[in-house]
Amino acid sequence: MQKQLVNLTPHTLNLYTDAGVVELPTSGTIARARNRSVPGGNAGGIPIYVHTFADVEGLPDPVDGTVYVTSALVLKALRAAGIQRTDVVAPGTGPNDGAVRDERGRVSGVTRLVREA
């Protein structure tokens, strides 16, 4: 069964496939990882804050046949909360993911999607 991709990022994604480039427009809903900062000391008189994830907003409940594309931060926030969802992925932009970059080194498209183990 072919799965439907739903883009929950604020950007259109360019997915490079064997059949060519597929544009995946944003769905209009954005999944975000909220965080909170707590004091964690200082170094040389400069305060250090520890960021922890608070919650994830805008992520729909699972739907059969649907895969949600989010930011890597959303994946990390879900993992930090102990939530494992196989229907949530992020664009593969890591050094070994084969991301397509423009002349300035910015990611212009991806060749794979990734999820947390």
Side-chain angles (χ1 to χ4, degrees), residues 101-117:
R101 298 184 182 274
D102 65 16
E103 64 280 349
R104 297 178 76 190
R106 297 177 296 200
V107 173
S108 61
V110 297
T111 59
R112 65 176 70 165
L113 300 170
V114 298
R115 66 179 164 93
E116 294 287 325

Side-chain angles (χ1 to χ4, degrees), residues 33 53 56 68 70-81 83 85 87-91 113-116:
F53 292 110
V56 171
Y68 299 105
T70 68
S71 69
L73 277 177
V74 169
L75 288 181
K76 290 178 193 277
L78 290 173
R79 183 175 65 183
I83 299 169
R85 294 214 8 206
D87 64 326
V88 180
V89 299
L113 300 170
V114 298
R115 66 179 164 93
E116 294 287 325

Side-chain angles (χ1 to χ4, degrees), residues 3 23 43 49 72 79:
K3 296 197 180 232
E23 284 190 355
Y49 281 80
R79 183 175 65 183

Side-chain angles (χ1 to χ4, degrees), residues 6 8 10 18 20 28 30-31 36 45 48 56 60-62 65 68 72 74 78 82-83 86 92 94 102 104 109:
V6 176
L8 299 178
D18 291 340
I30 300 171
R36 66 178 74 106
I48 297 172
V56 171
D61 291 333
Y68 299 105
V74 169
L78 290 173
I83 299 169
T86 59
D102 65 16
R104 297 178 76 190

Side-chain angles (χ1 to χ4, degrees), residues 50-66:
V50 178
H51 285 219
T52 59
F53 292 110
D55 56 6
V56 171
E57 298 174 350
L59 181 62
D61 291 333
V63 173
D64 282 343
T66 301

